[in-house]
Amino acid sequence: MKNYDYLVVGAGLFGATFAYEAAKRGKRVKVIEKDDHISGHIYTEEKDGIQVHKFGAHIFHTSIKKTWDFVQQFAEFNRYTNEPVANYKGELYNLPFNMNTFNKMWGVVTPAEAKAKIEEQRKVLGDKRPENLEEQAISLIGTDIYEKLIKGYTEKQWGRKATELPAFIIRRLPVRYIYDNNYFNDTYQGIPIGGYTQIVEKMLADPLIDVELNQDFFAKKADYLATYPRIVFTGMIDQFFDYQLGELEYRGLRFEEEALDVDNYQGNAVINYTDAETPYTRIIEHKHFEFGKGDKNKTIITREYPENWQRGDEPYYPVNDKRNNGLFKQYRELASSQPNVIFGGRLGQYKYYNMDQVIEAAQKIVTREFGDTEA
Ligand code: UDP
């Protein structure tokens, strides 16, 4: 074995960002990945000239210029703006919650009319400070929108009652009193032309980095710990510690991909099904992430089904409620007994990170590890 300075466990966005920055500073890095492909859940694959997001829609957005400039090095981004549409039993509404939504729901035309409507509906809460997702949602946009666009979607997405979910999840979505369907408030937004996989490929292309796929860290954990001076671990922190303090909860997903001989199946990249009965939460039509892409009369769609997660399944979302956050804190304390292991990413830090936040979290670790030295 070469004298590696770092072992990075997991070739997703966190691991790749760290490996890239370490190599830039002359460090030798070994990256191991349990799957047969790099780039984790941002993995995209070309089919029929269409970039298919294999693990769900990924739209890059950030307000931090440094992060935006960083990703531009690895791909050219298009000007895609996410404007998902909600389908509630055949009624269509614009998302996020904005004047178009309010107009369709209530016929209101001015922001003042919309505000008055919401003000009236949120009275059901009295003076209560919102303590869970349901109360937070009603407090933000009233009962009608909560019932039609949030309750069903949220309860199938998370597999539990909206009253038992943390309020922060719904605050991911903007509420706006203007006619603007942009799902994000961030300054910069787009999708890499040619897909996400190339980004991670380029990050890992440095000759100081070696990547090995299909490697199970846990099969040789003791060896790895004994051999590598520093390890960046981006898997599940509770699994790293053999679940000794208990199990953290995750939410699973299943993707059902279908190729269709039509040019345009649904007319938008993302359509959410917000009723409780439809078993999937959304359908994405990949070609609409990139304009004019793909063969005529061919399209690829993916239905996204939320699933209960159990040990051994692929984890997608951390469930950041009180119990799990408390347990994670205990694992983090336990992690101080492993000063040579850095935990990172959605799973290692047990945080509902977006892509930009993953990069920022990795850069923070890079600064801590190497100081502010840039190669
Ligand atoms: N959400 C909803 N209705 C929608 C879309 C989102 O109620 O049509 C809620 C739901 O609780 C979801 C949360 O908002 O979990 C965050 O949505 P986001 O689109 O940010 O989720 P992601 O794309 O990360 O799954």
Side-chain angles (χ1 to χ4, degrees), residues 288-307:
H288 299 312
F289 289 122
E290 294 188 89
F291 315 97
K293 272 299 174 86
D295 295 342
K296 278 244 173 292
N297 299 320
K298 272 229 160 37
T299 195
I300 297 171
I301 61 166
T302 302
R303 291 186 179 80
E304 189 171 317
Y305 295 82
E307 289 214 313

Side-chain angles (χ1 to χ4, degrees), residues 57 82 85-86 95 97 133 149-155 157-158 165 169-173 183-184 272-274 281-282 304 317 346 352 354:
N82 199 31
V85 169
L95 294 172
F97 313 118
L133 196 153
L149 305 184
I150 297 177
K151 189 173 193 292
Y153 185 102
T154 295
E155 294 188 346
Q157 163 70 8
W158 295 97
L165 282 163
I169 294 178
I170 201 66
R171 290 197 300 265
R172 288 171 59 84
L173 275 54
Y183 202 58
F184 304 113
N272 290 358
Y273 288 79
T274 57
T281 47
R282 47 193 166 191
E304 189 171 317
Y317 296 91
R346 244 194 206 203
Y352 190 174
N354 294 324

Side-chain angles (χ1 to χ4, degrees), residues 23-266:
K24 236 170 66 174
R25 289 162 176 81
K27 307 295 180 197
R28 278 156 303 187
V29 187
K30 170 72 161 272
V31 179
I32 59 167
E33 166 56 52
K34 72 173 169 49
D35 283 332
D36 59 2
H37 61 85
I38 57 164
S39 61
H41 289 161
I42 68 172
Y43 181 66
T44 51
E45 206 173 80
E46 187 176 322
K47 277 190 194 162
D48 296 322
I50 300 164
Q51 287 294 331
V52 178
H53 296 215
K54 297 297 282 189
F55 302 97
H58 282 82
I59 299 111
F60 197 91
H61 56 96
T62 181
S63 286
I64 299 183
K65 185 161 190 310
K66 198 173 160 207
T67 308
W68 184 242
D69 290 344
F70 178 77
V71 293
Q72 305 301 305
Q73 303 173 81
F74 309 106
E76 189 184 335
F77 280 66
N78 68 18
R79 51 141 292 267
Y80 177 83
T81 301
N82 199 31
E83 298 186 7
V85 169
N87 181 327
Y88 176 76
K89 303 186 179 191
E91 290 171 28
L92 298 185
Y93 294 93
N94 287 112
L95 294 172
F97 313 118
N98 75 88
M99 284 307 295
N100 289 306
T101 328
F102 307 145
N103 173 263
K104 180 86 186 261
M105 188 71 68
W106 301 311
V108 295
V109 171
T110 65
E113 287 167 358
K115 277 186 186 154
K117 195 84 193 169
I118 291 171
E119 207 45 55
E120 179 194 313
Q121 295 200 348
R122 66 202 291 273
K123 281 195 185 133
V124 296
L125 291 175
D127 290 333
K128 201 163 181 289
R129 215 182 115 253
E131 275 168 13
N132 56 52
L133 196 153
E134 176 171 296
E135 292 171 2
Q136 178 69 80
I138 292 172
S139 152
L140 285 169
I141 39 71
T143 46
D144 286 345
I145 291 181
Y146 171 68
E147 291 294 337
K148 287 189 169 181
L149 305 184
I150 297 177
K151 189 173 193 292
Y153 185 102
T154 295
E155 294 188 346
K156 62 189 178 185
Q157 163 70 8
W158 295 97
R160 54 166 94 171
K161 294 258 169 275
T163 47
E164 288 157 22
L165 282 163
F168 86 91
I169 294 178
I170 201 66
R171 290 197 300 265
R172 288 171 59 84
L173 275 54
V175 176
R176 292 195 191 106
Y177 292 92
I178 51 174
Y179 289 90
D180 178 356
N181 299 325
N182 184 350
Y183 202 58
F184 304 113
N185 277 331
D186 283 322
T187 317
Y188 308 103
Q189 179 172 181
I191 287 186
I193 298 166
Y196 283 94
T197 306
Q198 62 175 331
I199 293 182
V200 174
E201 240 162 42
K202 288 181 201 163
M203 285 179 170
L204 297 176
D206 194 297
L208 289 172
I209 303 174
D210 292 327
V211 182
E212 259 189 78
L213 300 176
N214 304 306
Q215 291 300 314
D216 176 10
F217 171 79
F218 292 100
K220 287 189 278 181
K221 181 180 167 191
D223 263 10
Y224 286 130
L225 287 175
T227 326
Y228 288 86
R230 303 279 287 158
I231 295 180
V232 174
F233 181 82
T234 71
M236 291 153 49
I237 189 168
D238 53 341
Q239 185 182 17
F240 182 93
F241 290 108
D242 204 18
Y243 308 101
Q244 60 182 271
L245 303 174
E247 205 174 83
L248 289 165
E249 271 179 288
Y250 302 88
R251 191 71 180 144
L253 289 176
R254 180 167 60 85
F255 299 99
E256 205 177 84
E257 192 180 305
E258 202 180 339
L260 303 169
D261 293 328
V262 297
D263 188 43
N264 182 3
Y265 172 74
Q266 64 179 13

